[in-house]
Amino acid sequence: MTSHTGRPDTDARPWLDASLPVEQRVDHLMAAMTLAEKVAQTHQVANIHPDDDAEQIRAGRISSSLYASGATAGNERDEGVLVGNIDAAQRHAVEGSRLGIPILFGRDVIHGHRTVFPIPLGLAASFDPELLEEAAAIAAREAAVDGVAWTFTPMVDISEEPRWGRVAESLGETPVLSGRLAAALVRGFQGPDPSDRDRLASCAKHFVGYGLAAGGRDYDTVSVGENTLRNLHLRPFKDAVDAGVTTVMASFNDVDGTPMHAHERLIREVLKDEWGFDGVVVADWNGIGQIVFQGVAADRREAAKLAIHAGVDLDMVSASYLDHLEELVESGEVDVALVDDAVRRVLRLKFRLGLFEHPYATREGASNAPTPQTRSVARRAAHASHVLVKNDGVLPLGEDAGRVLLSGPFVDDGDALLGTWVLDGRGEEVATPGDALRERLGHRVTVADGRFPDVTLMQARAADTSVLLLGEHRSRSGEAQSVVDIGLPPGQLELVRAVAAYGKPLVAVVYTGRPLDLSEVLDLADAVVVVWHPGIEAGPALADVLLGDVEPYGRLPMTFPLSTGHIPTSTHQRPTGRLIRADVDRKEGRYIDALTYPRLPFGRGLSYTTVEYGEPKLSDATLVGDDSVALSVTVTNTGDRPCREVVQLYFRDPVAQVTRPLVELSDWAVVELEPGAARDVLFDVRAEQFAYYGRDLAARVDDGAIELLTGPDAASLQSVTLTIQTA
Ligand code: GLC
């Protein structure tokens, strides 16, 4: 509503006065709302249409819409968001409804919009928060051009389950890496002021414990106690909340029998009350309706009652709130204060995003097509995601590599290189490995898609060096893509064996959304590079690394087990009554038919040089109270090429109130070293790094010894002991 002056009529609608504090604006608007209008603000639909939904919108019955191609949007493609549709729907809300409350439009902008970056698990391999923040800011600007105001990321589920397809969306297995990178993504998407038109609301998901789904089967049940949740799974969510994330999404799973969408203890008591989260808790797709399927509500009316008590504020597509909350309040079964709390949070978000000031997205001349600048960031991100896990000297490829065969289904398939959860990226805009190597090697390279393995064999026989592009299609990871076997897809290992039998240099490049069983590939190939699904600059990044124009510097953000049967194998391993240190050090483990050790440990990643680590040294053997001590470790580049080394600091708490991980990542530092250079890498060590939740679920730091360990990965460590004196 605007007055005759064209300015908002703040007399009739005081909430439109942008000079007022947000809370006052919320108060004004709430005071004007009927119960029905309040309930409508808790209702989110999917794929709203300006014509089909016009009546609902003008009746003020839709608060938000997400644009998704289906319940498992990670792998289906839709027609993309149409900013004209979004603004047409918005006009009905702003100019055609009684209160003019704008609609909030959301979309899964998970690792890029038009400029597609590596999948999140690949981005995590960079150990580079600044890079992720830069990438998120690009994604936000591009998505905002299309009318998106809210993205459902970062995903911070902690998992040691490669069978689960959604590890592709995660930021790795450790709370510290996942938490710091999540905070960086929140900063990148939201910026210092989320009302900036080039920024988006972000969403920490899926709250909580989703990565523990039984058997790695997506959507399955979760049996875990609050102590493990607090010491592992809740931590990256707290980092995201501390970074100012404006929304949190509830997860599909139950926790020890209570569906998360009905989990009052974890959502209302921990997330909202204990942590002070004042943003919006959004349901996952039909998550409230699914409480019925989980057998904890007889119908959606009961599900709505459970969810509003639990603290879920916005109902994604189930319509349980829209259909039942008003009557639940009028019957006295739900206190209107619970609805008011949810509505306040939704309105607060809309005011914080500036939606009342700039509800329309269309901007003349705005474009979100990839540019050389955005591609340059995507190329750097792809470089940083490439993890060299074996190199017997065949890389980087020089003149002596002779005639090169580049073969595999990824050579020129742009769409396959984008990865899961890409809704607006375009396969035809991807720079492919085939194009990049043709450009760089000219007549020296034979590029083939590998459709006929017998032809590949002949081509390999004719070549001097073979580069095989292996791994899983992007559609084998993401939501609802769990597998029983983390081996390579059928036929690929057979091809590797046959090509390796020629005894000529063989390089394996592995495209994947999850840790795979690479044991035999690692035995047979002379070099192995894990590249995940690297996004729009897949080809140039691979060429840069294979040809040595860029040093490989990614590090594994998840442990790669020896086999599917060895799952779980990760840094989550805690001591048991029998699995003592010696077993782990001897790599014997607990199976009588196999040895057990991480085939590729967390943090592993080689460069083209050699690096030596000295013993860690402490400035003081005792740490008192809130003081800090300096831990230093000398890192030396003993080879003839430069490197970017991710120096890792872990710790082990040998005696605590509860069992604690055998190694837990505590910090890392990146150092760039020229050949022959050495650097004393310093870590600032404080007692709070060793805090954990004890048997009473209270955070604590104990007096006593802490073992500090430094090295290039979780399995190559040297230790020093620090004594903590808390008082
Ligand atoms: C999906 C996913 C969630 C996504 C949402 C909207 O089912 O679980 O991660 O953000 O629905 O697409």
Side-chain angles (χ1 to χ4, degrees):
M1 175 186 286
T2 54
S3 66
H4 67 283
T5 60
R7 287 199 304 278
D9 181 357
T10 52
D11 294 336
R13 293 182 169 180
W15 59 88
L16 295 181
D17 181 348
S19 68
L20 292 177
V22 164
E23 291 313 305
Q24 281 185 35
R25 301 179 76 181
V26 172
D27 290 342
H28 282 305
L29 183 46
M30 294 281 289
M33 296 172 82
T34 64
L35 177 58
E37 288 166 333
K38 288 179 180 178
V39 167
Q41 285 302 307
T42 69
H43 177 51
Q44 181 185 60
V45 299
N47 305 320
I48 197 171
H49 192 279
D51 301 330
D52 304 346
D53 300 312
E55 185 182 340
Q56 284 277 76
I57 301 169
R58 299 174 79 86
R61 288 171 59 80
I62 295 177
S63 172
S64 171
S65 173
L66 76 150
Y67 278 90
S69 56
T72 57
N75 290 310
E76 292 84 43
R77 302 300 293 265
D78 57 18
E79 70 281 350
V81 284
L82 306 171
V83 68
N85 275 352
I86 285 181
D87 278 354
Q90 191 69 288
R91 209 168 301 288
H92 287 312
V94 173
E95 301 171 27
S97 73
R98 187 177 84 85
L99 296 171
I101 301 173
I103 294 170
L104 174 57
F105 293 99
R107 187 162 173 85
D108 293 283
V109 183
I110 304 301
H111 53 107
H113 189 68
R114 285 289 302 282
T115 301
V116 179
F117 299 95
I119 58 171
L121 194 57
L123 289 170
S126 71
F127 280 67
D128 188 342
E130 289 71 30
L131 175 64
L132 271 68
E133 184 172 344
E134 190 178 2
I138 290 170
R141 187 187 59 74
E142 293 182 353
V145 168
D146 280 342
V148 177
W150 178 20
T151 180
F152 304 118
T153 197
M155 186 269 216
V156 289
D157 299 320
I158 296 288
S159 185
E160 51 179 349
E161 249 298 354
R163 290 174 292 183
W164 187 47
R166 302 202 76 166
V167 294
E169 308 166 50
S170 79
L171 295 167
E173 72 188 38
T174 63
V176 165
L177 177 66
S178 178
R180 284 191 198 168
L181 297 182
L185 289 173
V186 168
R187 291 192 298 270
F189 281 116
Q190 297 184 175
D193 174 5
S195 72
D196 180 324
R197 299 191 65 174
D198 285 337
R199 301 289 185 167
L200 308 180
S202 62
C203 181
K205 71 183 186 184
H206 306 79
F207 192 82
V208 66
Y210 193 7
L212 289 164
R217 293 183 296 271
D218 207 358
Y219 313 125
D220 215 307
T221 57
V222 167
S223 299
V224 65
E226 186 170 323
N227 188 277
T228 299
L229 287 177
R230 284 186 176 272
N231 284 324
L232 266 178
H233 304 272
L234 284 166
R235 289 170 56 188
F237 284 96
K238 183 66 168 54
D239 291 327
V241 168
D242 290 348
V245 73
T246 45
T247 71
V248 170
M249 183 183 290
S251 58
F252 287 130
N253 55 283
D254 71 340
V255 167
D256 208 14
T258 303
M260 271 313 303
H261 283 74
H263 212 297
E264 191 165 352
R265 162 78 186 140
L266 289 171
I267 295 179
R268 190 174 293 287
E269 294 176 20
V270 174
L271 172 62
K272 291 185 169 181
D273 296 347
E274 181 182 325
W275 293 0
F277 176 66
D278 71 353
V280 171
V281 175
V282 61
D284 199 343
W285 188 279
N286 192 35
I288 295 175
Q290 287 176 166
I291 298 173
V292 177
F293 306 153
Q294 288 168 296
V296 177
D299 51 35
R300 288 190 306 118
R301 180 183 187 278
E302 189 177 351
K305 183 175 167 184
L306 288 168
I308 197 71
H309 277 100
V312 180
D313 304 308
L314 187 61
D315 174 5
M316 185 184 286
V317 311
S318 89
S320 306
Y321 282 0
L322 188 70
D323 293 346
H324 299 290
L325 265 190
E326 203 173 336
E327 182 265 321
L328 281 164
V329 169
E330 285 159 355
S331 70
E333 293 177 66
V334 168
D335 183 335
V336 69
L338 293 178
V339 175
D340 285 350
D341 176 57
V343 177
R344 289 190 70 84
R345 290 167 181 268
V346 173
L347 296 178
R348 179 182 297 138
L349 178 60
K350 292 184 175 182
F351 283 119
R352 282 177 172 170
L353 293 176
L355 287 185
F356 287 82
E357 280 66 56
H358 52 74
Y360 303 118
T362 301
R363 286 180 270 179
E364 288 316 309
S367 166
N368 57 15
T371 67
Q373 293 72 25
T374 63
R375 281 184 174 273
S376 166
V377 178
R379 190 165 173 172
R380 275 195 291 123
H383 289 151
S385 69
H386 283 40
V387 185
L388 178 66
V389 292
K390 179 180 182 182
N391 185 23
D392 286 351
V394 68
L395 293 179
L397 298 175
E399 288 301 325
D400 58 355
R403 295 160 301 166
V404 176
L405 168 67
L406 181 76
S407 176
F410 296 94
V411 280
D412 286 318
D413 187 327
D415 189 63
L417 294 160
L418 288 173
T420 187
W421 279 111
V422 168
L423 302 181
D424 299 279
R426 301 175 187 176
E428 65 273 16
E429 294 180 338
V430 176
T432 65
D435 289 343
L437 270 298
R438 286 186 196 98
E439 182 186 328
R440 303 286 289 274
L441 293 180
H443 68 281
R444 280 181 52 204
V445 69
T446 299
V447 176
D449 62 16
R451 275 178 305 150
F452 298 106
D454 48 358
V455 171
T456 302
L457 261 183
M458 290 185 269
Q459 291 167 326
R461 185 169 177 277
D464 299 308
T465 301
S466 293
V467 180
L468 296 184
L469 306 186
L470 307 167
E472 58 181 18
H473 189 266
R474 64 176 185 78
S475 61
R476 198 177 83 146
S477 56
E479 183 174 351
Q481 309 303 332
S482 296
V483 295
V484 295
D485 183 346
I486 60 168
L488 285 169
Q492 293 188 14
L493 211 42
E494 195 177 351
L495 180 66
V496 170
R497 290 181 195 128
V499 172
Y502 288 133
K504 294 192 274 189
L506 168 58
V507 178
V509 179
V510 182
Y511 293 83
T512 184
R514 55 166 49 90
L516 294 175
D517 171 1
L518 296 180
S519 295
E520 197 170 346
V521 174
L522 287 160
D523 293 341
L524 292 171
D526 301 292
V528 181
V529 192
V530 176
V531 298
W532 318 101
H533 291 112
I536 195 170
E537 284 291 305
L542 181 65
D544 293 341
V545 169
L546 291 184
L547 301 177
D549 294 345
V550 168
E551 308 300 318
Y553 55 87
R555 295 292 184 272
L556 293 180
M558 269 187 85
T559 304
F560 279 48
L562 271 170
S563 73
T564 305
H566 284 84
I567 293 170
T569 303
S570 80
T571 52
H572 299 183
Q573 176 69 50
R574 305 195 307 270
T576 69
R578 297 299 179 88
L579 183 62
I580 58 177
R581 275 302 319 152
D583 275 7
V584 174
D585 291 343
R586 282 198 304 270
K587 300 182 179 175
E588 288 178 1
R590 307 280 291 280
Y591 298 110
I592 59 171
D593 56 349
L595 294 179
T596 297
Y597 56 92
R599 186 64 184 85
L600 294 169
F602 174 88
R604 174 66 53 86
L606 307 175
S607 62
Y608 286 148
T609 189
T610 50
V611 179
E612 276 180 15
Y613 282 68
E615 294 275 341
K617 294 182 175 55
L618 289 168
S619 59
D620 194 320
T622 302
L623 171 56
V624 179
D626 295 336
D627 290 353
S628 69
V629 298
L631 179 144
S632 70
V633 55
T634 303
V635 181
T636 307
N637 179 342
T638 52
D640 55 7
R641 292 182 65 103
C643 67
R644 174 187 182 272
E645 190 68 10
V646 180
V647 181
Q648 297 154 48
L649 171 64
Y650 297 81
F651 75 94
R652 178 181 306 131
D653 186 346
V655 180
Q657 267 201 358
V658 295
T659 55
R660 305 281 294 122
L662 290 171
V663 280
E664 177 167 350
L665 181 70
S666 173
D667 199 354
W668 73 89
V670 175
V671 61
E672 301 199 348
L673 293 171
E674 289 302 315
R679 183 85 54 79
D680 290 344
V681 178
L682 296 178
F683 291 94
D684 184 46
V685 178
R686 297 175 182 278
E688 66 206 32
Q689 290 169 253
F690 315 118
Y692 69 98
Y693 287 87
R695 285 196 293 274
D696 57 359
L697 295 181
R700 56 179 302 116
V701 177
D702 297 335
D703 284 341
I706 289 282
E707 198 176 354
L708 295 173
L709 307 105
T710 54
D713 61 56
S716 317
L717 298 170
Q718 301 178 75
S719 70
V720 66
T721 299
L722 174 69
T723 300
I724 306 286
Q725 283 178 4
T726 52

